[in-house]
Amino acid sequence: SYDELKKCTNNFSESNEIGSGGYGKVYRGMVPSGQVVAIKKAQQGSTQGGLEFKTEIELLSRVHHKNLVGLVGFCFEQGEQLLVYEFMPNGTLRESLSGCLDFGSDGFFGWKGIGGGKSGIHLDWKRRLRIALGSARGLAYLHELANPPIIHRDVKSTNILLDENLTAKVADFGLSKLVSDSAKGHVSTQVKGTLGYLDPEYYMTQQLTEKSDVYSFGVVMLELVSARQPIEKGKYIVREVRMAMDKNDEDQYGLREMMDPSIKSLANLTGFGRFVELAIRCVEESASHRPTMSDVVKALETILQNDG
Ligand code: ADP
């Protein structure tokens, strides 16, 4: 109940706040069973209310997969909308990648040693491959096995969380269509998603398909190899990598320029090249040229096998 959830987060105290997003604030709490949870508390007006919302959340709470952040409960009482998720102790993929990168005062990328995120994790190449594969499996499940199928609509590195074993779990699936247009971080009236990850074809045509998630996932893959954000200093990662690929020099110098230095020494260059090629296919302008999520899963499995 609402009062119980209030208690287990210490009245939604600031010290238990772990983040905020389009939906509202997120708090850490411990439920009576002893399980540590993340509780999302909707900001007033950030979501559509009513029966449709409740039905949708009930559906989401029935979706289970190893690579999806489980919704363990929800509560609609006293005018509040609360969603209770399993707690992911290693935070978001973005936080782990951002620890690697630093900016020089000259405005150029610079690297300050081997990176570690908020929790000091260093994601080596092998771990990054596993994270990509795990999140791809979660998305393929949503697209092909969930009943009814679910299009995520907001795939990004802040929606990929890492559990205690650094297993990737996709968060926030099915939520973005419930978030109202005014909520921060979301794009416009009908089209929903986050700038830098947004499928250009969906943006133009407003026709939403699973392939929009594939596009966004391709951007996440490019973040995994470069540790850069989708848009940095006004530059789009997708365009930058395409340009690097087009140089097409024999020793792939252009591509290596894009590579996160903290994985440079470890990555098998063949696997790296295949990974980037796969990412580039995911971010094709035309949705019909992109692979499906289960194609991506298969391709990543092959890369991972050959890499180790
Ligand atoms: P956004 O709308 O930007 O995706 P969210 O509202 O989903 O943001 O989450 C905000 C922040 O709360 C995340 O960046 C993350 O740090 C934290 N967070 C969300 N869900 C969980 C969870 N299940 N476990 C741990 N931390 C979480």
Coordinates of all heavy atoms in Angstrom, one line a residue, residues 18-24 26 38 40 69 85-88 92 95 156 158-159 161 172, ligand 1:
I18 N 17.4 8.3 -5.8 CA 18.5 7.9 -6.6 C 18.5 8.4 -8.0 O 19.5 8.2 -8.7 CB 18.6 6.3 -6.7 CG1 17.2 5.7 -7.0 CG2 19.2 5.7 -5.4 CD1 17.3 4.2 -7.1
G19 N 17.5 9.1 -8.3 CA 17.5 9.7 -9.7 C 16.2 10.3 -10.0 O 15.2 10.2 -9.3
S20 N 16.1 11.0 -11.2 CA 14.8 11.4 -11.7 C 14.8 11.4 -13.2 O 15.9 11.4 -13.8 CB 14.5 12.8 -11.2 OG 15.4 13.7 -11.8
G21 N 13.7 11.2 -13.7 CA 13.6 11.1 -15.2 C 12.3 11.6 -15.7 O 11.6 12.4 -15.0
G22 N 11.9 11.2 -16.9 CA 10.7 11.7 -17.5 C 9.4 11.4 -16.7 O 8.4 12.2 -16.8
Y23 N 9.5 10.4 -15.9 CA 8.3 9.9 -15.2 C 8.1 10.6 -13.8 O 7.0 10.9 -13.4 CB 8.4 8.4 -15.0 CG 7.3 7.7 -14.4 CD1 6.2 7.3 -15.2 CD2 7.3 7.4 -13.0 CE1 5.1 6.7 -14.6 CE2 6.3 6.7 -12.5 CZ 5.2 6.3 -13.2 OH 4.1 5.6 -12.6
G24 N 9.3 10.9 -13.2 CA 9.2 11.5 -11.9 C 10.5 11.1 -11.2 O 11.5 10.9 -11.8
V26 N 12.9 8.8 -8.5 CA 13.2 7.4 -8.2 C 13.8 7.3 -6.8 O 14.8 8.0 -6.5 CB 14.1 6.7 -9.2 CG1 14.2 5.2 -9.0 CG2 13.5 6.9 -10.7
A38 N 13.6 -0.2 -6.2 CA 13.6 1.1 -6.7 C 12.2 1.5 -6.9 O 11.4 0.8 -7.6 CB 14.4 1.2 -8.0
K40 N 9.5 4.2 -8.3 CA 9.3 5.4 -9.2 C 8.0 6.0 -8.8 O 6.9 5.4 -8.8 CB 9.2 5.0 -10.6 CG 10.5 4.6 -11.2 CD 10.4 4.6 -12.7 CE 11.8 4.3 -13.2 NZ 11.9 4.4 -14.7
V69 N 14.3 -5.4 -16.4 CA 14.2 -5.1 -15.0 C 12.7 -5.4 -14.6 O 11.8 -4.9 -15.1 CB 14.4 -3.6 -14.7 CG1 14.2 -3.2 -13.3 CG2 15.8 -3.2 -15.1
Y85 N 10.2 -1.5 -8.6 CA 11.1 -2.3 -9.5 C 12.2 -3.0 -8.6 O 12.5 -2.5 -7.6 CB 11.8 -1.5 -10.5 CG 11.0 -0.9 -11.6 CD1 10.4 0.4 -11.5 CD2 10.7 -1.7 -12.7 CE1 9.6 0.9 -12.5 CE2 9.9 -1.1 -13.8 CZ 9.4 0.1 -13.7 OH 8.6 0.6 -14.7
E86 N 12.8 -4.1 -9.2 CA 13.9 -4.6 -8.5 C 15.0 -3.6 -8.6 O 15.2 -2.9 -9.6 CB 14.4 -6.0 -9.1 CG 13.8 -6.4 -10.4 CD 14.5 -7.6 -11.1 OE1 14.9 -8.5 -10.3 OE2 14.6 -7.6 -12.3
F87 N 15.8 -3.5 -7.6 CA 16.9 -2.5 -7.5 C 18.1 -3.0 -8.2 O 18.5 -4.2 -8.0 CB 17.2 -2.2 -6.0 CG 18.3 -1.2 -5.9 CD1 18.0 0.1 -6.1 CD2 19.6 -1.6 -5.5 CE1 19.0 1.1 -6.0 CE2 20.6 -0.6 -5.4 CZ 20.3 0.7 -5.6
M88 N 18.7 -2.2 -9.0 CA 19.9 -2.5 -9.8 C 21.1 -1.8 -9.2 O 21.4 -0.6 -9.4 CB 19.8 -2.1 -11.3 CG 18.7 -2.8 -12.0 SD 19.1 -4.6 -12.2 CE 17.6 -5.3 -11.5
T92 N 23.2 2.7 -14.1 CA 22.9 2.6 -15.6 C 24.2 2.4 -16.4 O 25.3 2.7 -15.9 CB 22.3 3.9 -16.0 OG1 23.3 5.0 -15.9 CG2 21.1 4.4 -15.2
E95 N 26.2 5.6 -16.8 CA 27.1 5.9 -15.7 C 28.5 5.2 -15.8 O 29.5 5.8 -15.6 CB 26.5 5.7 -14.4 CG 25.4 6.6 -14.0 CD 24.4 6.1 -13.0 OE1 24.3 4.9 -12.8 OE2 23.7 6.9 -12.3
K156 N 17.8 3.5 -24.6 CA 19.0 4.4 -24.4 C 19.8 3.9 -23.3 O 19.4 3.0 -22.5 CB 18.5 5.8 -24.1 CG 17.6 6.0 -23.0 CD 17.2 7.4 -22.8 CE 16.0 7.5 -21.8 NZ 15.7 8.9 -21.5
T158 N 20.7 5.1 -20.5 CA 20.3 5.3 -19.2 C 19.1 4.4 -18.8 O 18.7 4.4 -17.7 CB 19.8 6.8 -18.9 OG1 18.9 7.2 -19.9 CG2 21.0 7.7 -19.0
N159 N 18.6 3.7 -19.8 CA 17.5 2.7 -19.6 C 18.0 1.3 -19.6 O 17.3 0.3 -19.6 CB 16.4 2.9 -20.6 CG 15.3 3.9 -20.1 OD1 15.3 4.2 -18.9 ND2 14.6 4.5 -21.0
L161 N 20.2 -1.0 -17.3 CA 20.7 -1.1 -15.9 C 21.6 -2.3 -15.7 O 21.4 -3.3 -16.4 CB 19.6 -1.0 -14.9 CG 18.6 0.2 -15.0 CD1 17.6 0.1 -13.9 CD2 19.4 1.5 -14.9
D172 N 12.2 0.4 -18.0 CA 11.2 1.3 -18.5 C 10.4 0.9 -19.8 O 9.9 1.7 -20.5 CB 11.9 2.7 -18.8 CG 12.0 3.5 -17.6 OD1 11.5 3.1 -16.5 OD2 12.5 4.6 -17.7
Ligands
ADP1 P1 14.8 8.2 -17.4 O1 13.4 8.7 -17.6 O2 15.9 9.2 -17.7 O3 15.0 6.9 -18.0 P2 14.3 7.0 -14.9 O4 13.1 7.7 -14.3 O5 14.0 5.7 -15.6 O6 15.0 8.0 -15.8 O7 15.4 6.8 -13.8 C1 16.1 7.8 -13.3 C2 17.4 7.2 -12.6 O8 17.0 6.4 -11.5 C3 18.2 6.3 -13.5 O9 19.1 7.1 -14.2 C4 18.9 5.4 -12.5 O10 20.1 6.0 -12.0 C5 17.9 5.3 -11.4 N1 17.1 4.0 -11.5 C6 16.0 3.8 -12.2 N2 15.5 2.6 -12.0 C7 16.4 1.9 -11.2 C8 16.5 0.6 -10.6 N3 15.6 -0.3 -10.9 N4 17.5 0.3 -9.9 C9 18.5 1.3 -9.6 N5 18.4 2.5 -10.0 C10 17.4 2.9 -10.8

